[in-house]
Amino acid sequence: SSDEDSGSNNDAPGSDTATRARRPLSATARRRQHSDEYSDSNHDAPASTSQKVVWDTVPQQNSAKDIPVWQGALPNADDTREPIQYFFDAELLDTIVQQSNLYCTQKKKNPNSALRLDQNELEQFIGTVVYMSVLHLPRSRMYWSSECRLVPVADVMSRDRWEEIKKFIHFNDNSNMEANNDKLFKIRPIVDSLLQKFQSLPQDQMLSIDEQMVPFKGRSSLKQYIPKKPHKWGYKIFVLCDTKGLVHSFDIFTGKTDPVPGEPDIGASGNIVLKLAQVIPGAVNHLLYFDNWFSSLDLFATLANKGIPALGTVQQNRLHGCSFCSDTDMKKKGRGTFEEKKAVVDSAEIRAVKWFDNRAVSTAQSVSDVERWDRKLKQKVSVERPSIIILYNTFMGGVDALDELIAYYRIQIRSKKYYHRFFFHFVDMVIVNSWLFDDLQKDLLAFRTSIAQVLSKAIPTLEVCSDAVGHWPVVESGRQRCKLPNCKGQTVFRCSKCKVHLCLNKYNNCFQEFHQ
C-alpha cells in the first residue's frame, strides 16, 4: 500500500499545530488557528480508529522518504479550450436568461412589463460588473453620474436597465423550491455546471484542500461567523486546488456534511476531504495536502488505500496511542530537534514527526538546514529542519493563493440576496481560473479588463458608426431597448455592424440618426 505522512503535536491543550507548521510561509499567507475557528457544534470530531495502533520510533538515519513519483502528465497547451467561454458556456447563460425572465414574470405578473433579457444583454451585464470590480466606486449609481461617469459601463446600458437586470437575475425556478430541501436550490444550476467544468481540468501533482470565506453580512442561514478571519462574516466553501490556486472542485458548507456514498464515515472534516478527493485519480501519486482540522488516522489510511498519498499537520489527540517527547525536553535539546514514529493503520504505513523550532511543529522526512534568528545570541543560527516541513509550507498554500488573487479585484456589488453574493463570487473564481488556465499570458488586471471589454460589447466609436459602410438593419427574434441616447423604445431591429438595437419605424428612425 502507499505510504502516508502525517504530523502530530504534543503541546498544551488549546495549542494549534497547523498555524505553527505554516510559520515559514511568506508574509502574504494568512496565519490561521483552526482549532479556535471551528469549535462550532456543526462539525463532529473524526471517528476514532477501532483497532489498536502501535507506534514504532524511527531512527533519524532512516528518516528520509522519497516523494512519490507522479505517474500523470499535463496536456499540451494546444489541447485546451478558450477558458472564459469554457466555464460560462451558452447553456449556462441560457439557463440564467430563462430563469431571470421567468422570475420577473412571477414577481410582476404583468406580461407588458416583462424583463425581455437575452444572452447578449446578460453578457453585457456581467461585463459591466467586471468593469466595476476593476474601477470600484462606493455606489453603483455613481457609474452613470455626471461627476464620476465611467464610459465602459454607462455606454453599454442605462442605469435603470442595469438595476432591473440585477433585481431580477435568477438561476432556478422558485415554484419548485418547496418540494426541494436543498439549501443551495437557488444557485444549484450554477454550482452543478461549474463543478462539472472544474473537475474536468487537468491536475498537477501537488493538490491541497482548505476553506475560503465569501464575504457577506446579509440575512442567510448559510452565513458563518469566524472571528479570526479577515472577513468574519460570510459563506464557507471548501476548495480543492493546486499550488497556483487553480480550482478543481469545491463544496459549499450548508451546516451538515454527510458521508460520501460507498466511503466510510470518518467524521465531518474527513468526509469533506473524501468528497473533494473523488475527482483525484488514484495510483498516479497525486500528493494531497491539508491542515490539522481535517487530519486523522482514518483519513490518511482511507486515502492511502485509494492510491492517494497525503501530507498534513495533525492534532495530538487524533494520533491514537502516539506519544512524543514533551516540549520541555525538546527545548532542552535545542532548536532543530525532531522525533519520528511510524505505524500501520488498515495496511497503510503512516509516519508522524514532531519538530521543535521556536515551538513544537509536527510532520517528517529527510533533514536539511534552515536559518533562524536567535534572540539570545543576536544573530542567525543554522537549525535542522525535516524536509517534510519544507514540502508542507511550499505546497499547502494553494487556497490562500486563490483568495489573494480574488481579493485583488473582488466584485463588491451590494445586495441583500445571498445568491447574488454567490454568483458574483463564482464570476471572480471563474476569471481567476481562466487566467491561470490561460498560462499567465497577461497580468491579472489586463486579463480581467479584456474579459470585461469582450463581454460588455460597448457601443462602437463615432468613427465606426458614421463610416457609412456595412450598416444594415437585421430583425431579431426578441426586443431590446434602443441604444440611441434619450430613447426609451423597444425594438427588434439591430445594426449588423454596430451590434446595437435601434428603433426603425414610421414614428422613430433612430437607426438613421445613430449613424449620422
Side-chain angles (χ1 to χ4, degrees):
S1 63
S2 302
D3 289 350
E4 284 300 315
D5 298 298
S6 174
S8 64
N9 179 19
N10 198 29
D11 292 343
S15 62
D16 185 81
T17 308
T19 305
R20 291 193 294 276
R22 291 196 204 177
R23 187 165 301 173
L25 281 172
S26 62
T28 57
R30 298 195 304 271
R31 295 178 178 136
R32 296 165 293 178
Q33 297 181 344
H34 290 272
S35 56
D36 294 334
E37 293 171 350
Y38 299 110
S39 59
D40 56 272
S41 59
N42 292 326
H43 294 283
D44 301 324
S48 60
T49 306
S50 58
Q51 63 183 15
K52 183 178 180 180
V53 181
V54 179
W55 294 88
D56 299 324
T57 302
V58 179
Q60 291 192 9
Q61 60 269 22
N62 299 330
S63 176
K65 286 184 62 182
D66 295 330
I67 300 176
V69 178
W70 188 33
Q71 305 296 329
L74 293 175
N76 296 325
D78 296 338
D79 297 335
T80 59
R81 299 173 59 181
E82 288 296 325
I84 191 66
Q85 289 83 1
Y86 175 66
F87 294 114
F88 273 102
D89 56 8
E91 182 179 356
L92 177 58
L93 294 177
D94 186 60
T95 300
I96 299 175
V97 167
Q98 292 180 9
Q99 295 301 327
S100 299
N101 289 328
L102 176 62
Y103 178 65
C104 180
T105 303
Q106 292 171 342
K107 297 295 289 185
K108 288 187 174 182
K109 299 180 180 180
N110 183 1
N112 295 325
S113 59
L115 183 62
R116 295 188 179 92
L117 179 67
D118 61 12
Q119 184 172 321
N120 180 68
E121 198 171 18
L122 175 62
E123 291 180 356
Q124 290 179 332
F125 174 79
I126 297 175
T128 58
V129 167
V130 176
Y131 264 127
M132 292 176 179
S133 69
V134 174
L135 299 170
H136 179 65
L137 294 177
R139 298 175 181 174
S140 59
R141 289 198 167 196
M142 295 179 68
Y143 291 96
W144 288 269
S145 66
S146 57
E147 297 84 2
C148 305
R149 190 175 189 272
L150 183 63
V151 173
V153 173
D155 281 355
V156 173
M157 65 175 61
S158 66
R159 181 200 65 191
D160 293 344
R161 179 59 175 172
W162 186 90
E163 290 182 343
E164 185 181 26
I165 295 175
K166 177 196 168 187
K167 179 180 179 180
F168 291 109
I169 191 169
H170 222 68
F171 315 106
N172 216 343
D173 187 359
N174 283 350
S175 59
N176 300 327
M177 187 167 56
E178 293 183 359
N180 196 305
N181 295 324
D182 185 7
K183 290 187 176 181
L184 302 176
F185 174 81
K186 285 181 176 290
I187 58 170
R188 179 56 61 186
I190 295 182
V191 171
D192 292 343
S193 177
L194 293 181
L195 270 179
Q196 181 183 2
K197 298 176 178 66
F198 288 162
Q199 293 173 359
S200 64
L201 295 177
Q203 299 174 359
D204 205 346
Q205 181 185 17
M206 304 299 183
L207 302 172
S208 62
I209 292 177
D210 210 343
E211 89 294 330
Q212 69 171 186
M213 289 291 290
V214 181
F216 183 74
K217 292 186 178 180
R219 292 186 178 182
S220 175
S221 61
L222 302 178
K223 185 178 60 177
Q224 301 290 306
Y225 175 70
I226 303 180
K228 295 184 179 180
K229 285 289 187 181
H231 297 285
K232 297 175 176 58
W233 293 97
Y235 304 111
K236 187 161 56 179
I237 303 180
F238 298 101
V239 184
L240 169 69
C241 63
D242 65 11
T243 56
K244 298 180 298 183
L246 183 68
V247 180
H248 292 289
S249 186
F250 63 87
D251 184 50
I252 301 174
F253 176 67
T254 58
K256 182 180 179 182
T257 304
D258 297 321
V260 180
E263 299 288 350
D265 185 1
I266 58 176
S269 59
N271 291 338
I272 292 169
V273 175
L274 294 181
K275 183 176 182 179
L276 294 177
Q278 286 180 303
V279 302
I280 304 176
V284 295
N285 288 332
H286 285 285
L287 190 53
L288 183 61
Y289 297 81
F290 40 81
D291 61 30
N292 65 353
W293 188 74
F294 301 98
S295 298
S296 67
L297 292 181
D298 294 316
L299 176 59
F300 283 113
T302 303
L303 290 173
N305 293 327
K306 292 168 66 69
I308 305 175
L311 168 62
T313 54
V314 66
Q315 299 174 16
Q316 176 65 46
N317 59 4
R318 297 186 182 182
L319 291 174
H320 309 288
C322 182
S323 60
F324 287 108
C325 295
S326 65
D327 288 357
T328 304
D329 294 339
M330 282 192 162
K331 187 175 182 179
K332 291 179 181 178
K333 296 178 182 180
R335 297 173 68 174
T337 303
F338 72 95
E339 184 181 4
E340 179 176 358
K341 295 192 176 184
K342 65 179 180 179
V344 177
V345 180
D346 293 337
S347 71
E349 183 185 88
I350 299 176
R351 293 197 181 192
V353 172
K354 182 176 181 179
W355 173 59
F356 189 86
D357 188 9
N358 284 328
R359 298 180 66 185
V361 180
S362 304
T363 39
Q365 261 182 1
S366 60
V367 181
S368 61
D369 290 341
V370 61
E371 286 191 344
R372 288 286 189 267
W373 180 260
D374 192 302
R375 286 180 292 184
K376 292 183 178 180
L377 299 177
K378 304 295 183 182
Q379 64 182 15
K380 288 187 177 180
V381 296
S382 180
V383 177
E384 285 188 339
R385 178 174 60 176
S387 63
I388 200 169
I389 301 293
I390 304 175
L391 277 178
Y392 183 83
N393 290 331
T394 303
F395 299 113
M396 178 56 198
V399 179
D400 289 332
L402 172 66
D403 287 339
E404 184 177 2
L405 293 172
I406 290 178
Y408 283 145
Y409 313 105
R410 188 190 303 273
I411 297 174
Q412 301 184 37
I413 305 299
R414 296 174 62 87
S415 176
K416 294 182 179 179
K417 300 176 180 178
Y418 82 93
Y419 51 88
H420 282 179
R421 181 63 263 164
F422 272 117
F423 174 66
F424 294 141
H425 179 75
F426 286 137
V427 172
D428 287 329
M429 184 182 289
V430 163
I431 292 176
V432 171
N433 249 29
S434 302
W435 180 65
L436 295 171
F437 196 54
D438 200 32
D439 209 14
L440 311 182
Q441 295 180 2
K442 299 180 180 178
D443 64 78
L444 181 58
L445 178 59
F447 184 82
R448 197 176 184 96
T449 305
S450 65
I451 287 179
Q453 184 178 8
V454 171
L455 291 176
S456 61
K457 302 179 182 66
I459 296 176
T461 61
L462 181 61
E463 291 77 9
V464 176
C465 295
S466 59
D467 61 6
V469 177
H471 298 277
W472 301 99
V474 178
V475 179
E476 296 288 323
S477 58
R479 293 178 177 270
Q480 279 197 28
R481 186 167 179 170
C482 177
K483 296 303 185 292
L484 183 69
N486 301 322
C487 180
K488 298 183 179 180
Q490 300 280 342
T491 178
V492 296
F493 290 97
R494 180 175 65 90
C495 177
S496 60
K497 184 174 182 179
C498 300
K499 308 296 183 183
V500 294
H501 281 69
L502 298 163
C503 294
L504 183 60
N505 52 56
K506 61 181 180 179
Y507 302 108
N508 297 310
N509 193 346
C510 299
F511 191 93
Q512 180 181 359
E513 185 177 350
F514 182 83
H515 293 101
Q516 288 179 349

